[in-house]
Amino acid sequence: GKGYLDGRWVCSFAGIVPADAPRLVCVMVAEDPHPPQGTSVYGGTIAGPIFARIGAQAMARLDVPPSVPVENPRAASVP
């Protein structure tokens, strides 16, 4: 059919940071990701961790303090 390819995926995740007083809106899109075996191909599992890392680093760069303590935002895992 039109618009779909077997075995190919596009995952997306949209978020705002900080949640209590938004300063940044970001949409992450991963085209045809290749996650580790056993990992679900959903936006929250593929693109969500990327958003978390970029959002934390952007807030640090903008001198926006975290709403909740963050141990090490630069160590966030990205698949």
Side-chain angles (χ1 to χ4, degrees), residues 12-17 23-29 50-52 54-55 58:
S12 60
F13 184 91
I16 57 172
V17 288
R23 297 272 311 270
L24 178 69
V25 176
C26 191
V27 176
M28 307 305 299
V29 179
I50 299 168
F51 169 80
I54 291 172

Side-chain angles (χ1 to χ4, degrees), residues 11-77:
C11 299
S12 60
F13 184 91
I16 57 172
V17 288
D20 56 348
R23 297 272 311 270
L24 178 69
V25 176
C26 191
V27 176
M28 307 305 299
V29 179
E31 184 177 325
D32 200 21
H34 299 285
Q37 188 171 359
T39 302
S40 300
V41 184
Y42 296 114
T45 57
I46 302 296
I50 299 168
F51 169 80
R53 187 164 128 191
I54 291 172
Q57 290 180 10
M59 293 298 96
R61 193 166 187 91
L62 293 171
D63 291 324
V64 176
S67 315
V68 295
V70 177
E71 289 185 29
N72 188 357
R74 296 185 197 289
S77 87

